[in-house]
Amino acid sequence: MTMTFVDLDVRPILRAGGEPFEEILSAVAALGPGEGLRLLATFEPVPLFSVLGAKGYSHEARELEAGDWEVLFRPTGVEKPSEAEVSIAAGDGEEWPEPVTEMDNRDLDPPEPMVRILAATETMKEGEVVSALLCREPVFLFPELEKRGHCWRGGFEPDGKTYRILVRVASQHGA
């Protein structure tokens, strides 16, 4: 079967300081049978690989001139369970302490929610938990938390619009 690609150029959005995540998900949702997505971005969108991988897409990325990237997302026909609900080290079923910090970041524009959550973890002690409400799934926050060694759990609230994430601070902040 011949694959056709729908083009989505998010470079203007990124250069204007915007967040194209919703546009990307909408474009993927609108793909028909035998269609893939050709995404043009100003950087290699590594966090997007796992998000679309969970939705059943493989990726092929290559750097273009001037540091821009082209990524071809192809449907594999196999959706994987979301890996974005719990970090690898979160310990399913393990009791976490009550959050010592509660944040409502739903009215903030990206990347401010991520900046505030990461700043909060820098002032907290090992094992303490921060809870944050967000207006979208923080796909760019997950790899930053894991890089610092923090565990997290998250998911959408019953309203389907609010994402709650709990972050348990690692010892020495991932050192």
Side-chain angles (χ1 to χ4, degrees):
M1 174 187 253
T2 303
M3 175 79 53
T4 59
F5 288 92
V6 173
D7 288 341
L8 179 61
D9 187 350
V10 298
R11 293 176 297 184
I13 297 170
L14 293 168
R15 288 185 179 124
E19 168 58 53
F21 186 66
E22 296 301 324
E23 285 84 355
I24 295 168
L25 291 184
S26 294
V28 168
L31 293 174
E35 289 184 328
L37 179 69
R38 179 177 171 256
L39 179 71
L40 297 170
T42 58
F43 61 92
E44 185 179 17
V46 174
L48 193 58
F49 299 161
S50 62
V51 172
L52 293 185
K55 294 184 179 297
Y57 288 87
S58 65
H59 69 273
E60 179 184 320
R62 70 179 182 102
E63 189 170 3
L64 304 173
E65 294 177 19
D68 290 345
W69 284 80
E70 175 191 68
V71 184
L72 300 175
F73 290 100
R74 292 183 172 88
T76 61
V78 180
E79 284 194 37
K80 301 174 186 170
S82 175
E83 297 172 6
E85 298 301 318
V86 178
S87 65
I88 293 170
D92 277 338
E94 180 183 329
E95 281 293 317
W96 281 24
E98 289 295 316
V100 296
T101 302
E102 303 267 352
M103 307 172 86
D104 186 346
N105 293 337
R106 290 178 288 182
D107 293 333
L108 302 174
D109 292 326
E112 194 62 27
M114 181 169 92
V115 169
R116 289 187 179 196
I117 291 168
L118 292 175
T121 63
E122 294 299 318
T123 63
M124 297 170 65
K125 298 176 185 167
E126 177 184 354
E128 290 184 332
V129 175
V130 59
S131 172
L133 300 177
L134 306 163
C135 64
R136 63 177 58 105
E137 187 175 12
V139 294
F140 297 109
L141 177 61
F142 299 143
E144 290 301 320
L145 292 172
E146 292 188 7
K147 187 166 44 175
R148 290 167 168 82
H150 303 314
C151 298
W152 54 269
R153 295 176 173 167
F156 282 96
E157 296 287 290
D159 68 4
K161 297 177 182 176
T162 302
Y163 193 92
R164 177 183 297 275
I165 187 166
L166 299 171
V167 179
R168 187 170 61 184
V169 175
S171 64
Q172 299 299 311
H173 301 184

